[in-house]
Amino acid sequence: MSRLWHRARMDDYRALNRGFWDDRAPAHAASNDYAFARFVHDPGFLSHVVRFDVPRLGDLTGLRGVHLQCHIGTDTISLERLGAVMTGVDFSPVALGEARTLAERTGSAVDFVESDVYAAPAAVGSGAFDLVFTGVGALCWLPDIRRWAHVVAELLGPGGRLFIREGHPMLWALADPRPDGLLVVEYPYFEREEPSVWDEGGTYVETDVVFEQNVTHEWNHGLGEIITALLDAGMSLTALVEHDTVPWEALPGQMERVDDGEWRIKDRPWRLPHTYTLQAVKRG
Ligand SMILES: C[S@@+](CC[C@H](N)C(=O)[O-])C[C@H]1O[C@@H](n2cnc3c(N)ncnc32)[C@H](O)[C@@H]1O
């Protein structure tokens, strides 16, 4: 992996990042990791990410839910299978094409809508939802966490709930794996105006596809910044769990697979929060 640092024009980030995701979505949909065939053949099958949080998600029956940055729809359809009436939002038309194909093949009624996150209330309706779900590689694509928190609050009706499972900002701040095995803090923990600019050819599923659109602009947001942004947007924090596992091999060569299919660093995993699940409700 290589990460380039320079001051980039903010205007570029959407086009660059959308190109990156458009390029990868078909390979993701074709991969074993996203398990499209399992979704089609087993109507009770849930994505790994949703299955991990079933005890915390609770009963979703009848809730109107929106999944921000829904990618190819596997988590969105899983939430529908838990009883919610779901809408998925993403800015990648190619990812949404794959999501609609999966919905058609599984008989899902999820409505997939093309929109930038920051424009989601205009695209799908202010105050129209009981549940906003997001996560696992979502917040790092957004330059301004406070603006995102206002979007979440605007989408929800009073008492509505936000549910996030996300990579921990401490994990995002670490240097790439080193031969000496040390965990080194190399990249921003706090949100900065300028993006981290990456040029990275691969992806997180197993695939032979060679990608052409590889430059991305990303931002980290500290846990305190995320929580404060939500509080200031009119949300109350109701749950926060930091996990010592992550759904993908985030530090290749330094991690082992654990019982539930997640990954954990082999050496003293108690040093590092890998991911977190956060819940908040909109104040009345
Ligand atoms: C890592 S994927 C999310 C993965 C998801 N948790 C999953 O595994 O299905 C990130 C998604 O965010 C979307 N995205 C990135 N920036 C966005 C933006 N500004 N507005 C809407 N969607 C965005 C991308 O198109 C991509 O589908």
Side-chain angles (χ1 to χ4, degrees), residues 13-14 17-18 21-22 34 49 67 69-75 89-92 95 115-118 135-138 141-142 204:
Y13 87 89
R14 282 196 184 86
N17 291 349
R18 191 186 302 116
W21 287 108
D22 282 347
Y34 272 100
V49 166
H67 179 188
Q69 298 174 252
C70 65
H71 197 42
I72 56 176
T74 46
D75 294 341
V89 172
D90 202 284
F91 75 171
S92 161
S115 171
D116 189 87
V117 167
Y118 292 148
V136 188
W141 303 98
L142 306 177
Y204 51 82

Side-chain angles (χ1 to χ4, degrees), residues 25-147:
H28 289 185
S31 74
N32 289 331
D33 304 69
Y34 272 100
F36 269 31
R38 294 280 307 274
F39 275 95
V40 173
H41 293 121
D42 178 358
F45 182 73
L46 301 176
S47 68
H48 170 83
V49 166
V50 169
R51 207 176 327 128
F52 179 88
D53 268 320
V54 161
R56 283 170 281 270
L57 279 161
D59 184 10
L60 303 185
T61 306
L63 294 185
R64 298 162 303 162
V66 59
H67 179 188
L68 298 178
Q69 298 174 252
C70 65
H71 197 42
I72 56 176
T74 46
D75 294 341
T76 332
I77 290 172
S78 299
L79 294 166
E80 179 189 52
R81 288 180 172 187
L82 292 178
V85 178
M86 291 301 300
T87 299
V89 172
D90 202 284
F91 75 171
S92 161
V94 181
L96 292 175
E98 300 292 352
R100 290 184 189 116
T101 299
L102 181 62
E104 199 174 84
R105 290 177 64 200
T106 55
S108 156
V110 173
D111 186 19
F112 288 104
V113 177
E114 186 178 326
S115 171
D116 189 87
V117 167
Y118 292 148
V124 296
S126 293
F129 297 96
D130 308 305
L131 173 72
V132 172
F133 180 92
T134 195
V136 188
L139 299 188
C140 60
W141 303 98
L142 306 177
D144 183 344
I145 201 67
R146 296 182 66 79
R147 192 170 171 197

Side-chain angles (χ1 to χ4, degrees), residues 177-194:
R178 296 157 43 107
D180 61 12
L182 287 178
L183 298 178
V184 173
V185 180
E186 173 74 6
Y187 301 115
Y189 174 84
F190 295 111
E191 180 179 302
R192 305 187 75 216
E193 189 181 335
E194 59 268 36

Side-chain angles (χ1 to χ4, degrees), residues 261-278:
E262 300 243 318
W263 295 82
R264 177 186 289 145
I265 55 166
K266 286 184 262 195
D267 180 19
R268 293 166 291 155
W270 47 88
R271 288 180 294 162
L272 180 69
H274 295 49
T275 52
Y276 64 92
T277 303
L278 181 153

Side-chain angles (χ1 to χ4, degrees), residues 153-205:
E154 193 177 340
L155 288 166
L156 290 168
R161 174 162 67 132
L162 167 69
F163 193 103
I164 315 178
R165 168 102 193 274
E166 187 52 287
H168 200 286
M170 200 59 239
L171 175 71
W172 298 132
L174 292 182
D176 292 343
R178 296 157 43 107
D180 61 12
L182 287 178
L183 298 178
V184 173
V185 180
E186 173 74 6
Y187 301 115
Y189 174 84
F190 295 111
E191 180 179 302
R192 305 187 75 216
E193 189 181 335
E194 59 268 36
S196 304
V197 180
W198 290 74
D199 186 353
E200 192 180 344
T203 186
Y204 51 82
V205 302

